[in-house]
Amino acid sequence: MDSKKLNVTNEEDEGASTGPLTPPYQTPKGVHDILPNDHKYHTFIKKVVRHRCRQAGFRRITTPIFEFTDVFTRGIGATSDIVSKEMYTFQDRKGRSMTLKPEGTAGVVRSYIQNGMQALPQPVELYYIEPHFRYDRPQKGRYRMFWQFGFECIGESDAALDAQVIQIAYTILKDLGIAELFHLQLNSIGDEVCRPNYINVLRDFYFGKERSLCADCKYRLEKNPLRLLDCKEEDCQILAQIAPKLVDYLCTECKAYDKDVKEFLEEMGIKFHQNNSLVRGLDYYTKTVFEFWDRNEGAQNAIGGGGRYDGLIELMGGAKTPACGFAAGMERIVAAMKREKIRVPEKDDLHVFVAQLGDEAKKKCLPLISDLREAGVRTMGALGKGAIKTQMRLADKFKVPYTLILGLTEVREGTIIIRDMSVGTQVTVPFENAVEEVVKRIGEKNLDTYTPGEVVF
Ligand code: HAM
């Protein structure tokens, strides 16, 4: 169906008010449904993240989907691309400026300060799995609503922590079967002692070369010169390659810190590439920055990134507190897993379809379906009024391994038919043995049993 028939415009939304769409409605550009086939990947990723984070002592946090805009402007930096171009900002009914969260770190830091987490034993280790929103230009792997998992380690300044955060990120990618597809890029961007000096050197270097820069970089030169180093425009990249390197201007402390991080990574057998142009798109970083780049597509489709942010807590009104963290994009991970044909557990597949005919059969089927589910058998019942033949066709479409059939004869005789759908054979068993017979065929280890755990009052 073409877009004209749907009465949908493909124009960018800026300024083009087309009024409400007529049905059938579509999602806005850059956002998408996560359909059941993709959910199995999301569920698996969440399981791995929860497991690895718990093992390392991290506890889960959820910050609100929207915050006062200042949380992000202050935290991420007013001149960053995210804040200056990509935020979904709106006024609430009292005229206060609110923003849908574009990333997780600023909100976690706000929460750390607001909830007095400084009084807890340090470091405070927190992780999250949440949707985020950026008004990015939609393209492959770049959406306006996307899911990230991330973790933050607040209250410790040792280089071993940076290495450990990287190691957890790497282990998660390994568990997901995609670690080998990505290259760890590492750099140090110095701190408040050495960076101002480097920025002056950088400004001097670009003096007189402004005409070769793209419009964004002309602005960056004035407001945020470090970002000149990772511009994706060809001409800007040529200049960035011959620009003075931050690594040559690091102070003694930052140099030693960088060396320690690398030694710890080597100790843990994690390979990295020293990338002198890596600066990251958020302004809060100090010292260590890192990203996992796709081996084929490079920086375009980084699967995740992070680093140390020792100044952010103080900047947002807390006491001086060191911290570091990481976040990864879940849609990009799912795409990589699919590309690699990685299979995840099919927890949604049905085991059994129950077909029935007649009012008596239906009455007997309802408790049977409930007993099967209780036993861990994923069961679908055809409880409508269709003929047995129609129900069997449906069972075929659902690709169930077994179908139970309860017709008028079986009700009269107190039996039920179990049909093995893969070979087309069937046996009749006593109705009261139905659950036991099905469990025997499916196998104990494949049952979907659920233990809610013990609740203590
Ligand atoms: P970030 O590099 O902006 O870092 O985002 C992390 C990851 O989120 C990216 O590497 C990418 O996989 C994914 N991502 C970002 N934007 C999009 C998008 N428009 N569509 C799809 N995926 C996207 C942060 O957000 C920092 N808060 C990470 C951090 C945590 N640093 C310290 N702690």
Side-chain angles (χ1 to χ4, degrees):
M1 212 182 278
D2 73 23
S3 59
K4 274 196 201 110
K5 280 193 196 134
L6 287 172
N7 198 15
V8 171
T9 176
N10 272 332
E11 273 177 86
E12 262 296 43
D13 350 15
E14 282 94 309
S17 169
T18 54
L21 301 175
T22 54
Y25 296 112
Q26 299 215 332
T27 49
K29 200 170 174 178
V31 306
H32 56 269
D33 302 307
I34 303 179
L35 298 172
N37 266 344
D38 273 358
H39 252 301
K40 64 183 181 217
Y41 289 93
H42 280 258
T43 305
F44 186 65
I45 298 168
K46 283 179 200 167
K47 198 172 153 190
V48 168
V49 170
R50 279 205 305 263
H51 177 73
R52 289 300 182 186
C53 285
R54 263 203 311 260
Q55 271 185 342
F58 284 74
R59 302 181 72 196
R60 186 157 177 184
I61 185 169
T62 299
T63 60
I65 291 288
F66 63 92
E67 301 252 10
F68 285 115
T69 300
D70 283 351
V71 169
F72 305 114
T73 318
R74 189 104 182 115
I76 303 168
T79 58
S80 63
D81 282 358
I82 294 181
V83 171
S84 61
K85 300 183 198 164
E86 296 172 2
M87 295 208 305
Y88 278 92
T89 297
F90 59 96
Q91 285 195 347
D92 73 1
R93 285 176 181 272
K94 291 216 163 135
R96 293 168 293 212
S97 181
M98 303 287 171
T99 293
L100 299 184
K101 60 176 163 188
E103 61 99 51
T105 312
V108 169
V109 165
R110 191 263 316 129
S111 177
Y112 174 89
I113 300 166
Q114 179 178 346
N115 294 297
M117 291 190 218
Q118 228 130 14
L120 300 176
Q122 308 289 304
V124 172
E125 298 184 323
L126 302 164
Y127 77 98
Y128 46 88
I129 305 171
E130 278 162 46
H132 294 84
F133 306 84
R134 292 184 194 176
Y135 197 85
D136 237 326
R137 188 180 314 153
Q139 50 187 290
K140 183 171 146 251
R142 200 166 283 280
Y143 308 105
R144 290 181 174 170
M145 173 175 163
F146 57 95
W147 283 76
Q148 271 188 352
F149 69 79
F151 33 93
E152 314 293 346
C153 181
I154 309 178
E156 175 60 68
S157 64
D158 201 282
L161 262 291
D162 306 39
Q164 201 182 69
V165 162
I166 293 174
Q167 193 262 343
I168 299 169
Y170 176 73
T171 309
I172 289 172
L173 295 182
K174 220 160 89 179
D175 288 350
L176 296 172
I178 54 172
E180 294 315 311
L181 302 184
F182 298 94
H183 228 176
L184 172 60
Q185 311 285 312
L186 187 69
N187 196 16
S188 169
I189 56 166
D191 61 8
E192 72 283 1
V193 176
C194 50
R195 208 184 315 161
N197 176 36
Y198 172 71
I199 284 174
N200 286 336
V201 173
L202 206 56
R203 278 213 171 94
D204 287 347
F205 168 80
Y206 279 101
F207 184 76
K209 303 184 180 69
E210 294 88 343
R211 272 193 307 165
S212 311
L213 295 174
C214 71
D216 275 351
C217 279
K218 283 184 184 128
Y219 175 77
R220 287 172 185 144
L221 182 57
E222 202 185 312
K223 301 283 184 195
N224 195 352
L226 215 52
R227 293 298 318 279
L228 286 158
L229 298 179
D230 77 343
C231 179
K232 309 288 177 288
E233 295 293 328
E234 203 180 335
D235 285 352
C236 302
Q237 277 189 358
I238 292 170
L239 279 177
Q241 269 162 23
I242 53 166
K245 305 280 173 271
L246 213 164
V247 68
D248 299 325
Y249 293 84
L250 292 179
C251 59
T252 321
E253 193 201 313
C254 285
K255 238 183 223 159
Y257 195 93
D258 188 42
K259 185 166 163 278
D260 284 350
V261 173
K262 287 172 176 157
E263 278 175 12
F264 288 133
L265 287 176
E266 274 158 10
E267 202 61 44
M268 291 189 288
I270 297 176
K271 293 196 185 82
F272 56 85
H273 169 73
Q274 169 62 39
N275 183 336
N276 293 328
S277 309
L278 187 71
V279 293
R280 305 270 299 132
L282 307 103
D283 288 355
Y284 46 64
Y285 293 109
T286 49
K287 297 182 178 152
T288 314
V289 288
F290 63 94
E291 280 182 3
F292 288 92
W293 284 9
D294 189 300
R295 283 185 190 269
N296 299 321
E297 296 178 35
Q300 273 310 322
N301 253 334
I303 205 114
R308 180 156 281 284
Y309 50 94
D310 288 346
L312 183 58
I313 289 110
E314 197 177 14
L315 185 74
M316 292 185 69
K320 194 167 167 48
T321 312
C324 65
F326 166 80
M330 290 171 60
E331 283 82 358
R332 292 187 190 180
I333 290 182
V334 171
M337 291 173 76
K338 284 185 175 172
R339 218 166 48 227
E340 283 304 284
K341 302 197 169 33
I342 288 165
R343 292 174 56 138
V344 293
E346 299 269 359
K347 287 277 172 79
D348 292 342
D349 285 359
L350 287 168
H351 292 131
V352 163
F353 188 90
V354 180
Q356 46 76 37
L357 191 69
D359 290 344
E360 271 312 299
K362 187 184 283 186
K363 274 192 204 138
K364 289 188 81 176
C365 274
L366 277 171
L368 172 64
I369 290 171
S370 152
D371 289 349
L372 283 164
R373 289 176 182 163
E374 204 56 41
V377 178
R378 288 192 289 267
T379 309
M380 155 137 347
L383 297 173
K385 290 198 167 44
I388 285 280
K389 228 180 177 172
T390 320
Q391 296 182 45
M392 293 308 287
R393 271 205 295 272
L394 204 55
D396 236 6
K397 285 188 184 156
F398 278 114
K399 298 193 174 84
V400 285
Y402 298 98
T403 299
L404 297 185
I405 307 163
L406 192 66
L408 304 174
T409 317
E410 289 73 35
V411 171
R412 213 173 39 239
E413 293 175 353
T415 58
I416 192 161
I417 296 169
I418 303 179
R419 185 177 177 83
D420 183 329
M421 302 295 282
S422 58
V423 284
T425 55
Q426 54 189 51
V427 289
T428 303
V429 300
F431 183 82
E432 66 269 22
N433 295 351
V435 175
E436 188 190 326
E437 290 289 338
V438 168
V439 167
K440 210 158 70 188
R441 285 167 173 76
I442 290 172
E444 295 271 346
K445 71 173 186 347
N446 297 319
L447 293 176
D448 200 340
T449 45
Y450 160 70
T451 344
E454 201 182 337
V455 182
V456 183
F457 293 98

